[in-house]
């Protein structure tokens, strides 16, 4: 069976729009495992309407969920990360340990306000890559400018070291 990695999951209970309980989180993991997913990166939101979840809390919840999964014979490995509402200081906050990357890698799951324009996308990609990170743009289909420039967005972000989810 293929080894699938879910790189964008709101599976941690009690944080933002994630699982409502430990039971629901375990059910989500069982379903993921049945679908061939072997690794999950928990990505609670940072910024926007959901606030600013502390990375220490995320790491603790990931550890607890991993232990509960093990006790329920669920072999999916859980990693921590965050879905980052882009701000100009986001790269600095990552460097300072205030925001998590995906599984402690150089990849950052970035989201934007819906009205974001093409300049904001490209500017953010440049700021992240200049800081040594590779942004992955979450929910590209939601942004007003993405419809107008979808081909250009994909080509330009990829050529600048970014990806679109």
């Amino acid at each position: 069976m293929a080894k699938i990695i879910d790189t964008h999951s709101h599976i941690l209970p009690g944080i933002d729009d994630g699982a409502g309980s430990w039971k629901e989180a375990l059910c989500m993991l069982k379903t993921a495992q049945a679908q061939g997913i072997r690794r999950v990166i928990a990505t609670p939101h940072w910024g926007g309407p959901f606030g600013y979840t502390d990375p220490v809390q995320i790491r603790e919840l990931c550890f607890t969920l991993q232990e509960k999964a093990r006790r329920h014979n669920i072999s999916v490995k859980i990693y921590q990360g965050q879905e980052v509402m882009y701000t100009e200081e986001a790269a600095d906050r990552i460097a300072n340990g205030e925001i998590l990357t995906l599984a402690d890698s150089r990849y950052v799951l970035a989201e934007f306000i819906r009205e974001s324009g093409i300049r904001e996308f490209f500017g953010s990609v440049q700021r992240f890559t200049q800081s040594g990170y590779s942004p992955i743009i979450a929910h590209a289909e939601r942004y007003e400018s993405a419809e107008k420039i979808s081909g250009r967005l994909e080509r330009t972000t990829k050529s600048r070291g970014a990806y679109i989810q």
Side-chain angles (χ1 to χ4, degrees):
M1 185 177 276
K3 293 182 180 177
I4 301 169
I5 301 171
D6 180 350
T7 60
H8 184 173
S9 178
H10 297 282
I11 196 165
L12 296 177
I15 295 182
D16 60 46
D17 56 349
S21 66
W22 290 108
K23 182 178 179 180
E24 184 178 356
L26 289 169
C27 183
M28 290 168 71
L29 281 177
K30 284 180 188 175
T31 301
Q33 182 170 278
Q35 294 174 345
I37 295 171
R38 298 296 174 250
R39 290 171 174 73
V40 169
I41 302 176
T43 53
H45 294 275
W46 181 88
F50 297 106
Y52 304 93
T53 307
D54 179 19
V56 172
Q57 179 186 13
I58 294 167
R59 290 182 192 280
E60 289 171 356
L61 288 170
C62 285
F63 177 81
T64 301
L65 183 56
Q66 189 71 72
E67 286 299 305
K68 289 179 179 290
R70 185 186 57 75
R71 287 195 301 271
H72 285 85
N73 296 315
I74 301 170
S75 61
V76 175
K77 176 77 173 130
I78 302 158
Y79 298 89
Q80 72 283 328
Q82 284 183 281
E83 181 177 5
V84 180
M85 178 62 73
Y86 179 75
T87 64
E88 289 196 21
E89 68 272 359
D92 291 335
R93 288 179 175 246
I94 293 168
N96 292 335
E98 298 171 51
I99 300 174
L100 297 171
T101 60
L102 298 178
D104 293 323
S105 69
R106 302 306 290 170
Y107 293 95
V108 177
L109 184 61
E111 69 175 326
F112 301 84
I113 59 171
R114 291 184 190 268
E115 298 79 25
S116 294
I118 191 70
R119 286 187 178 169
E120 185 168 7
F121 283 115
F122 296 151
S124 69
V125 166
Q126 184 175 16
R127 282 187 280 286
F128 275 130
T129 56
Q130 287 175 342
S131 298
Y133 301 106
S134 295
I136 300 172
I137 298 173
H139 309 297
E141 75 284 354
R142 292 182 182 174
Y143 310 121
E144 288 182 6
S145 62
E147 282 184 24
K148 299 172 192 166
I149 48 104
S150 62
R152 183 173 168 218
L153 178 65
E154 187 171 349
R155 285 189 309 278
T156 307
T157 53
K158 202 176 222 182
S159 70
R160 294 181 185 201
Y163 305 89
I164 298 173
Q165 180 188 38

